[in-house]
């Protein structure tokens, strides 16, 4: 069993996946809402057996058709997709036979195939074959890295802070750590909250970064942290009346 991820991350949607080839349903698949539809199709290839370039995706809530995911360059967030919904895959399905040796193509033979994922990306100028989009993504990545590093430089251990993250209440606490996390890209700020509104105790995946009680700690993106004169939240017995 993989370790529990105690870091607050970007939005993830949990969906079920069905296909028109059979009655099989793959339950509780997790995908980032920032994923492009064409990337999503590539992820669905090994699950459904359908080729990405032939896929048509339909979004269902129960048995009600909510939307069709027709724009390959849009993100999942552009559609009304919510946890528990089902994505139904219609497409051309590859033969899935057991006990048959794999047929491996040479790189040259694979490049010549018209129904491969690479051909699909080239034909539609997607992913790494869209130079303009790749340049924009690289510029945005560098900009975000610079902003994160600037925020870290301006933040000190012991600073009081307010944390504002999407789909979470506003929380107040103290900065306990700043920097990278093992096996995680980017940099983070570790916060000890005044209330048990966190997700860990200052440790993650067996490594300790700071000390606090369980559910009082979190590692958050620098952009979610605002340092300032935020007095600690105090509790009294009168609060329980």
């Amino acid at each position: 069993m993989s370790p529990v991820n105690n870091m607050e991350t970007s939005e993830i949607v949990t969906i079920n996946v069905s296909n028109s080839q059979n009655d099989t349903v793959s339950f509780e698949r997790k995908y980032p809402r920032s994923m492009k539809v064409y990337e999503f199709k590539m992820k669905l290839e090994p699950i459904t057996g359908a080729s990405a370039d032939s896929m048509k995706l339909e979004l269902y809530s129960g048995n009600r058709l909510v939307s069709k995911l027709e724009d390959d360059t849009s993100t999942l967030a552009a559609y009304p997709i919510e946890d528990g919904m089902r994505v139904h895959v219609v497409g051309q399905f590859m033969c899935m036979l057991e006990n048959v040796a794999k047929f491996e193509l040479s790189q040259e033979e694979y490049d010549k195939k018209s129904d491969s994922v690479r051909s699909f990306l080239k034909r539609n100028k997607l992913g790494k074959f869209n130079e303009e989009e790749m340049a924009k993504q690289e510029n945005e990545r560098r900009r975000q890295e610079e902003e994160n590093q600037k925020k870290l430089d301006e933040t000190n251990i012991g600073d009081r802070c307010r944390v504002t993250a999407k789909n979470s209440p506003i929380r107040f606490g103290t900065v306990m750590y700043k920097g990278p996390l093992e096996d995680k890209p980017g940099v983070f700020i570790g916060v000890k909250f005044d209330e048990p509104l966190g997700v860990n105790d200052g440790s993650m995946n067996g490594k300790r970064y700071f000390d606090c009680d369980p559910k009082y700690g979190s590692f958050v993106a620098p952009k979610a942290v605002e340092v300032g004169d935020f007095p600690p939240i105090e509790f009294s017995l009168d609060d329980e009346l």
Side-chain angles (χ1 to χ4, degrees):
M1 182 178 295
S2 59
V4 175
N5 185 353
N6 288 326
M7 179 183 62
E8 295 189 358
T9 60
S10 58
E11 283 189 278
I12 300 294
V13 63
T14 302
I15 59 174
N16 305 318
V17 178
S18 62
N19 67 82
S20 58
Q21 175 77 349
N22 51 51
D23 296 329
T24 301
V25 179
S26 182
F27 292 98
E28 295 188 348
R29 292 278 177 171
K30 298 180 185 295
Y31 301 96
R33 294 180 186 272
S34 59
M35 177 178 284
K36 298 288 182 68
V37 171
Y38 74 83
E39 296 173 321
F40 183 44
K41 287 181 176 180
M42 292 169 62
K43 294 290 186 181
L44 294 177
E45 266 196 340
I47 298 174
T48 65
S51 59
D53 59 343
S54 72
M55 285 185 188
K56 296 185 184 300
L57 305 183
E58 300 172 344
L59 179 64
Y60 286 86
S61 178
N63 292 321
R64 178 175 63 87
L65 177 62
V66 175
S67 178
K68 293 184 178 182
L69 282 60
E70 297 179 319
D71 185 356
D72 285 330
T73 60
S74 291
T75 64
L76 296 183
Y79 294 92
I81 185 168
E82 299 294 342
D83 288 341
M85 286 187 172
R86 175 171 56 89
V87 170
H88 185 66
V89 179
V90 179
Q92 296 178 1
F93 293 83
M94 297 172 283
C95 185
M96 308 288 284
L97 298 177
E98 294 182 357
N99 303 320
V100 177
K102 281 187 176 180
F103 178 71
E104 296 185 358
L105 299 175
S106 68
Q107 188 65 50
E108 182 179 358
E109 290 171 322
Y110 181 76
D111 288 339
K112 292 179 180 178
K113 285 180 63 64
S114 61
D115 60 348
S116 68
V117 172
R118 182 177 300 166
S119 294
F120 172 68
L121 296 177
K122 281 184 177 180
R123 187 164 55 251
N124 294 280
K125 294 184 178 179
L126 300 173
K128 64 181 181 180
F129 299 105
N130 186 330
E131 294 182 3
E132 182 179 352
E133 179 64 21
M134 293 301 290
K136 285 172 58 178
Q137 290 183 16
E138 178 62 18
N139 289 337
E140 176 60 24
R141 183 188 66 79
R142 290 180 179 176
R143 185 190 66 79
Q144 190 62 61
E145 282 186 352
E146 291 174 358
E147 287 187 1
N148 287 342
Q149 190 58 54
K150 181 180 179 182
K151 177 62 74 72
L152 252 66
D153 293 341
E154 295 172 347
T155 302
N156 299 308
I157 304 300
D159 281 348
R160 290 289 299 168
C161 66
R162 175 170 59 191
V163 175
T164 306
K166 198 168 184 180
N167 296 327
S168 296
I170 295 177
R171 293 164 291 176
F172 297 89
T174 303
V175 175
M176 302 293 289
Y177 173 81
K178 63 175 186 176
L181 300 176
E182 192 171 283
D183 298 327
K184 298 292 180 184
V187 291
F188 301 87
I189 294 179
V191 179
K192 175 183 176 182
F193 293 119
D194 297 340
E195 303 174 87
L197 297 173
V199 295
N200 58 43
D201 63 352
S203 64
M204 189 173 69
N205 296 341
K207 182 171 181 177
R208 179 159 299 283
Y209 295 88
F210 63 91
D211 293 308
C212 68
D213 291 334
K215 300 297 183 181
Y216 276 81
S218 283
F219 297 98
V220 298
K223 65 180 180 180
V225 178
E226 177 188 356
V227 171
D229 183 17
F230 303 112
I233 297 176
E234 297 182 357
F235 301 94
S236 70
L237 294 177
D238 292 338
D239 295 333
E240 302 296 326
L241 298 178

